[in-house]
Amino acid sequence: MRGWTAEEMMAVEAARRLHDRTVCFVGIGLPSLAANLARRTHAPGCVLVYESGAIEAKPEALPLSIGDGELAETAVAVVSVPEMFAYWLQGGRIDVGFLGAAQIDRHGNLNSTVIGPYERPAVRLPGGGGAPEVALAARDVFVTLRHSRQAFVERLDFTTSLGERVRVVVTDLGVLEPAGGELTLVATHPGVGVGEVREATGWDLRVADDVRETTPPSAAELAALRALRTRAAA
């Protein structure tokens, strides 16, 4: 029996892709978990930038929102939201932007706006927020979301963010990277087969010739991850 959850595997795999001094535009939830895990393990110099304007924040506990006071208290500087987008993001100073979504297509385009027709949606989602700007201005975009046919669709109900800068998609089943303009399965998590990933994808998924298995979370990674979550729960 494995000693970690699917969400923990996702966070660990995403964190491993962040390096020391990477300037990372962080969102709340799994992106914040992954970025703070990287900072507490192999990449202590990873620079966390939050949409609220906190630059190089070093929270001791996971922030509950981008307005969490600890972000400002632990940041090197706090700037206005317009300055954050105009000078930092659109100025080309962000190495990695994390995004999530309700839907993704084979080209990495994302939908976080509506499910169903825009005029009469079955579900109205939170919307783009800063995601369209992150998708276009960050040097690389990392996407994290759970893998299902409802999320990995042949055609988006609405295109919120373009996928041209998506470099990796980390899911609860494996890892996809673009090849020839199309997302390609390059790794599966322990215990997950290629067929399972294909079955959970709404298009004919391209698979790399040498699909690898991701390395399970180490004891140190899990301890750091769970400590972050414990402090957040407290």
Side-chain angles (χ1 to χ4, degrees), residues 179-198:
E182 185 171 332
L183 292 177
T184 301
L185 181 67
V186 298
T188 58
H189 296 319
V192 177
V194 171
E196 184 177 349
V197 184
R198 277 181 158 153

Side-chain angles (χ1 to χ4, degrees), residues 77-100:
V78 178
V79 301
S80 67
V81 172
E83 182 176 338
M84 167 62 66
F85 278 88
Y87 180 81
W88 286 87
L89 181 59
Q90 295 171 5
R93 292 171 172 81
I94 302 298
D95 298 319
V96 172
F98 268 104
L99 292 178

